[in-house]
Amino acid sequence: MRSDGHNLKTKKRKLKSPYTLTMVIFWMAFWLYELIMSSNGAGHLTEGIRNFGAAAEGFVAGYRSFNEGVLDDGYAEADADPDEAAYGDGRELPEDTALPGSPGEAGDAAPYGRQEDQAGSGDAVAGQEGDSLSGGASADGSDDASTDGVASGASDDAGADETGSMEEEVPEEEFVPMPYYFTADESYFDDALFIGDSRMMGIYDYCGFEGATFLCDNGYSIANYVAGRGVKCQNTGTRTTPGEIMSENHYGKVYVMIGTNDCPAHSPDKFREGYADLMELIRREQPDAIIFNVANLNMSAKGENENRSRGFDNTIMNSLNAAVSEFADGETSFFLNFNPLFTDENGYLWDKYSFDGFHVYAAQYQEMGDYLAEHAVAYTTP
């Protein structure tokens, strides 16, 4: 008990009186009003109302789009009403629009729809019978039968037949097989003719191409060929000319490695003319043969120094090899080059591979044979 005669229970009972409660509610409402009417409070409230309104509008728009069957990217679904435009809301697709799944130009395929191509069906889009992508109906309100199954923007001559098929006629083009190198065995060379000088004789001696024909001799050159000089056939020991032996036999491949002995002439232009004449002879006599134009092997530094006075120089040799490469078209004639196998960074033949600066040892000739076998040409997969 308190000395003033009132206890806590009595005070609590007075606090709940209608007058006191009314005053508490009034002052709370007044405080809330002041807070709302302050600049910051009003601004936050306004922003909150706007955000809520925008969210509500977005929700309503999304709900409507969902009910109308429109995809997120704006294209009509495949099973939409056939009388609706492509967007599903009255708009038409732009003429230059490339539809997803289209193999090419605009209008080549239905938008995200399955394209039927069955005879007599005339369906362009699954669920859209008899209508084009742009709406299907003709200007007079009737269905245009001539456009059944044809996508909007497609050309009149796109290949559609009377049944609605969209097969497109592809003009036939002549197929030209591209050659490639592969590694062959010795039988590949059984129908080969080899024409050249003493280095070609080394291939004959050490590479084992026993079925091939070797028309080669010491010192043979393009100048000798132009002059009509005979050359020894190593297989038979008889002397003949390239023209005579090719007129009497058929060859599937012709290998030519000739030019080292043309260096002293110092005339790449005359060499090119004579080499061109030999190529024409081969193509005329052996029209189906594959021609391999083989670069001449460079000399060693020692060999060049000792024979430069006679006109042997790697600079001249390189110019002749450049001329040889011009006669390879990559389809029926090819350029082969042994030099990377046996020369240093300056293009000189390694001394360890040669006894005279010009010719290599048996092991190197065997490497040449391996190189030729690894560069056999085929036009179809073996």
Side-chain angles (χ1 to χ4, degrees):
M1 294 290 293
R2 295 181 55 168
S3 59
D4 56 6
H6 296 283
N7 56 29
L8 291 176
K9 188 174 182 181
T10 303
K11 279 195 171 185
K12 289 180 180 179
R13 192 176 292 122
K14 286 183 178 181
L15 189 64
K16 292 181 179 179
S17 66
Y19 173 79
T20 303
L21 182 61
T22 300
M23 292 303 295
V24 169
I25 293 173
F26 172 80
W27 285 111
M28 289 181 65
F30 180 78
W31 174 81
L32 181 60
Y33 172 80
E34 289 292 330
L35 177 64
I36 292 174
M37 294 307 295
S38 65
S39 59
N40 292 337
H44 287 306
L45 180 63
T46 302
E47 183 179 356
I49 292 173
R50 288 176 179 174
N51 291 338
F52 177 80
E57 290 178 1
F59 175 79
V60 173
Y63 182 75
R64 286 177 179 173
S65 297
F66 177 79
N67 283 343
E68 291 173 1
V70 179
L71 298 177
D72 290 340
D73 53 14
Y75 292 110
E77 290 195 32
D79 58 354
D81 187 344
D83 292 331
E84 289 288 325
Y87 275 105
D89 60 1
R91 294 175 295 159
E92 293 185 356
L93 289 171
E95 294 182 0
D96 58 350
T97 301
L99 301 178
S102 171
E105 300 299 329
D108 285 346
Y112 283 100
R114 203 180 45 199
Q115 187 157 333
E116 303 290 347
D117 193 22
Q118 298 175 355
S121 68
D123 295 339
V125 181
Q128 296 186 357
E129 184 175 358
D131 293 310
S132 68
L133 292 181
S134 61
S138 62
D140 60 1
S142 61
D143 291 340
D144 186 358
S146 64
T147 60
D148 288 354
V150 182
S152 174
S155 174
D156 292 337
D157 58 355
D161 56 24
E162 295 178 357
T163 63
S165 172
M166 291 186 64
E167 275 188 32
E168 197 171 312
E169 293 184 5
V170 180
E172 293 185 3
E173 296 182 2
E174 183 180 357
F175 175 71
V176 180
M178 295 303 294
Y180 67 94
Y181 292 128
F182 73 100
T183 301
D185 56 26
E186 290 186 11
S187 64
Y188 177 81
F189 302 97
D190 288 349
D191 63 348
L193 171 65
F194 289 81
I195 302 173
D197 52 26
S198 57
R199 288 163 169 176
M200 193 67 89
M201 290 176 62
I203 294 177
Y204 168 76
D205 289 332
Y206 300 107
C207 291
F209 300 154
E210 296 183 2
T213 301
F214 283 82
L215 193 65
C216 48
D217 208 348
N218 289 323
Y220 192 63
S221 64
I222 284 294
N224 294 154
Y225 161 74
V226 172
R229 175 186 169 185
V231 59
K232 185 178 181 179
C233 176
Q234 300 295 322
N235 307 71
T236 62
T238 59
R239 301 191 71 82
T240 184
T241 64
E244 290 173 350
I245 199 169
M246 284 191 288
S247 66
E248 298 171 357
N249 300 279
H250 174 267
Y251 300 101
K253 304 102 183 173
V254 178
Y255 292 82
V256 179
M257 184 169 63
I258 188 172
T260 299
N261 297 292
D262 291 283
C263 278
H266 299 283
S267 180
D269 290 338
K270 292 192 74 66
F271 172 83
R272 185 182 291 104
E273 291 176 8
Y275 199 91
D277 187 82
L278 176 59
M279 292 297 107
E280 291 177 5
L281 172 66
I282 296 171
R283 188 54 66 205
R284 183 171 63 251
E285 296 293 338
Q286 306 293 325
D288 300 325
I290 303 171
I291 302 174
F292 295 90
N293 301 280
V294 185
N296 296 281
L297 193 62
N298 284 358
M299 295 167 281
S300 68
K302 179 181 178 181
E304 184 184 60
N305 290 333
E306 293 177 350
N307 295 278
R308 184 178 281 113
S309 61
R310 297 197 297 138
F312 291 97
D313 188 292
N314 276 341
T315 301
I316 301 172
M317 188 82 75
N318 290 335
S319 67
L320 300 186
N321 285 339
V324 168
S325 69
E326 295 175 7
F327 295 91
D329 59 19
E331 294 182 0
T332 60
S333 56
F334 302 86
F335 177 70
L336 302 180
N337 188 4
F338 296 130
N339 281 294
L341 299 176
F342 309 118
T343 58
D344 61 19
E345 64 277 7
N346 297 315
Y348 287 108
L349 177 65
W350 286 102
D351 287 329
K352 61 182 178 180
Y353 294 145
S354 178
F355 54 89
D356 61 358
F358 285 89
H359 303 88
V360 294
Y361 295 106
Q364 282 67 57
Y365 281 120
Q366 291 169 357
E367 286 188 57
M368 288 183 182
D370 292 339
Y371 177 90
L372 295 178
E374 292 167 359
H375 289 79
V377 169
Y379 291 88
T380 57
T381 303

